[in-house]
Amino acid sequence: MRFETFVALRYLAASRSRAHVALIAAISIVGLAVGVAALVVSLALLSGFQDRIRQQMMDRSAHLRVSPARGALLPDAERVARVLRGLPGAVEASPAIEGRAWASDEAGAALVPVRYRNGPLPAADAAAEPPARIAGTLAARLRTGSGDRVRLTSSRFRLSPIGPIPVTVLLKVEDVRRTGVLEKAAEIEVSEETARLLSGTTVGAGAYEARLKAPLEVDASARAVRAALGPGYRIQTWRELNAPLAFALLLEKVVIFVTVALVIVVAALNIVSNIALTVVEKRRDLGVLTALGATPGALQRVYLTLGGVIGALGTAAGVLVGAGLSVAADRFRLVPLPSDVYLLTHVPFAVHPGEVAFVAAFALVTALAAAVLPARAAARLAPGEAIRLSR
């Protein structure tokens, strides 16, 4: 064991004989532990919600989207489809045909502007109305439900013996899906044939979208598609399609970290007072150690080690308490949520090892930084002055 470490541990153990020094040391450790635990729990809470938001991004967004760099339609839609379907791990690749229209109930009592696009729907009989899947918000505004009929009127016109008339389709509602606040999906999903009829896109597509087995590895797939198609195409991943939301999530986590980390900074002030008090209590020891040959750098390292030990104890206790509370709260669902209001039944917590390691490193660095000032004061104390002041 090094000389500095031995002396620092002796000082920390000997502080038990002096109640005021021991109390301040205990307060320093407990305060740092509380700050670390609060930061770990706060980040776990944010990570729990954000992980589910990112999962919804991957579930409800296209993992890879190819659109024309210029114009409304892809230059070679069949080639794009072949490239996407040939990707390793590609689950499906389908054209994206969407547009604007007006939706109303069968009687035409309500008229709501909506965005439509093609989606996976069951095939309908030739004599039956085409199927549709509508969002819950749109169903509430139209006062319709499953089995009802919805009239969709496109902004495109077609010629008739009496002049131009808008393209109108009567659809049967197959399903009403519950939408989240952050969802950007179309208000109404129709079959590909109906979408082509409403948009007037008989061949080709405005974009192609693909879904992958491993959406987290979408960047490698995007590079492969970009190399295969060359210029003239715009390739976007699900991260790029949701870039504003991803930035908002990152900003939220940074703000929460900075805010809660102030508790650790306040706890570090207790470490300053504890080490400063130890320096005052051990002035005679400093003089004796200096007279025996201890250098100012060695004395400074003694108190830096003392601050590091206090920081390590507080950080370890805070990490254990914070991670334990987070895991228990998520596993046993200790914070329930009303299912009729929220999409979740309980508040989720997710402990990420990288974030916990970052919090621990931040707490240790803060504790060491707090010990620098009193350690320098101890190093500058002359032997004769130390013995004289300790009388």
Side-chain angles (χ1 to χ4, degrees):
M1 182 182 295
R2 296 183 59 184
F3 159 73
E4 295 87 350
T5 306
F6 175 77
V7 175
L9 293 178
R10 289 289 297 175
Y11 280 175
L12 188 62
S15 63
R16 298 175 184 174
S17 60
R18 296 181 178 271
H20 59 286
V21 179
L23 179 61
I24 295 178
I27 291 175
S28 302
I29 295 174
V30 172
L32 189 62
V34 170
V36 171
L39 193 53
V40 170
V41 171
S42 300
L43 293 181
L45 174 62
L46 280 179
S47 298
F49 278 110
Q50 292 185 3
D51 288 350
R52 280 155 178 77
I53 292 175
R54 292 190 183 93
Q55 187 62 45
Q56 289 184 6
M57 289 183 193
M58 291 186 287
D59 292 342
R60 302 180 183 183
S61 300
H63 297 161
L64 199 62
R65 180 183 175 93
V66 180
S67 57
R70 294 182 179 179
L73 297 177
L74 291 169
D76 192 349
E78 294 298 328
R79 180 184 172 212
V80 173
R82 288 195 303 270
V83 171
L84 291 178
R85 288 167 184 158
L87 284 174
V91 178
E92 62 175 354
S94 58
I97 304 169
E98 54 190 5
R100 294 286 180 177
W102 289 269
S104 63
D105 55 3
E106 189 175 3
L111 191 65
V112 180
V114 296
R115 185 168 64 93
Y116 67 86
R117 66 157 297 159
N118 61 309
L121 289 168
D125 298 334
E129 294 88 356
R133 182 183 295 111
I134 65 176
T137 53
L138 177 61
R141 297 181 66 179
L142 296 179
R143 298 180 181 178
T144 57
S146 299
D148 296 336
R149 289 170 175 78
V150 172
R151 193 179 304 276
L152 200 61
T153 303
S154 172
S155 57
R156 190 175 67 88
F157 290 84
R158 62 183 176 184
L159 293 177
S160 70
I162 60 175
I165 59 173
V167 177
T168 302
V169 179
L170 188 63
L171 306 171
K172 182 180 180 180
V173 179
E174 294 289 340
D175 182 32
V176 177
R177 70 177 189 277
R178 186 178 180 182
T179 57
V181 178
L182 303 176
E183 186 175 353
K184 298 187 295 184
E187 289 85 357
I188 182 167
E189 293 182 358
V190 297
S191 63
E192 182 178 342
E193 294 77 11
T194 304
R196 290 187 180 277
L197 175 64
L198 293 170
S199 63
T201 307
T202 56
V203 294
Y208 253 87
E209 295 178 347
R211 297 189 64 82
L212 308 174
K213 291 181 180 178
L216 295 178
E217 302 174 1
V218 68
D219 294 331
S221 300
R223 289 192 295 269
V225 172
R226 192 173 290 109
L229 294 179
Y233 297 92
R234 184 185 182 190
I235 293 90
Q236 295 173 288
T237 65
W238 64 269
R239 294 189 181 93
E240 296 170 343
L241 293 172
N242 298 278
L245 179 57
F247 176 76
L249 296 179
L250 177 61
L251 182 61
E252 180 185 28
K253 183 166 288 189
V254 170
V255 171
I256 292 298
F257 178 87
V258 172
T259 304
V260 182
L262 293 177
V263 180
I264 297 178
V265 176
V266 173
L269 298 179
N270 289 328
I271 298 178
V272 174
S273 61
N274 177 65
I275 297 179
L277 185 59
T278 305
V279 171
V280 174
E281 291 284 335
K282 303 297 182 180
R283 284 178 299 186
R284 177 175 293 182
D285 294 356
L286 293 176
V288 173
L289 290 174
T290 304
L292 291 176
T295 63
L299 296 180
Q300 183 174 351
R301 287 192 293 273
V302 167
Y303 289 97
L304 288 176
T305 304
L306 182 59
V309 171
I310 294 175
L313 292 176
T315 301
V319 167
L320 290 177
V321 172
L325 284 176
S326 301
V327 172
D330 185 71
R331 182 175 181 180
F332 299 105
R333 302 183 178 184
L334 300 180
V335 187
L337 292 174
S339 58
D340 55 340
V341 178
Y342 300 96
L343 297 176
L344 302 174
T345 59
H346 67 285
V347 174
F349 291 82
V351 179
H352 294 173
E355 294 179 352
V356 174
F358 184 79
V359 171
F362 174 78
L364 286 175
V365 170
T366 305
L368 289 174
V372 169
L373 188 60
R376 286 183 176 179
R380 290 195 299 264
L381 197 60
E385 183 182 1
I387 296 175
R388 180 179 61 83
L389 292 174
S390 62
R391 291 178 181 175

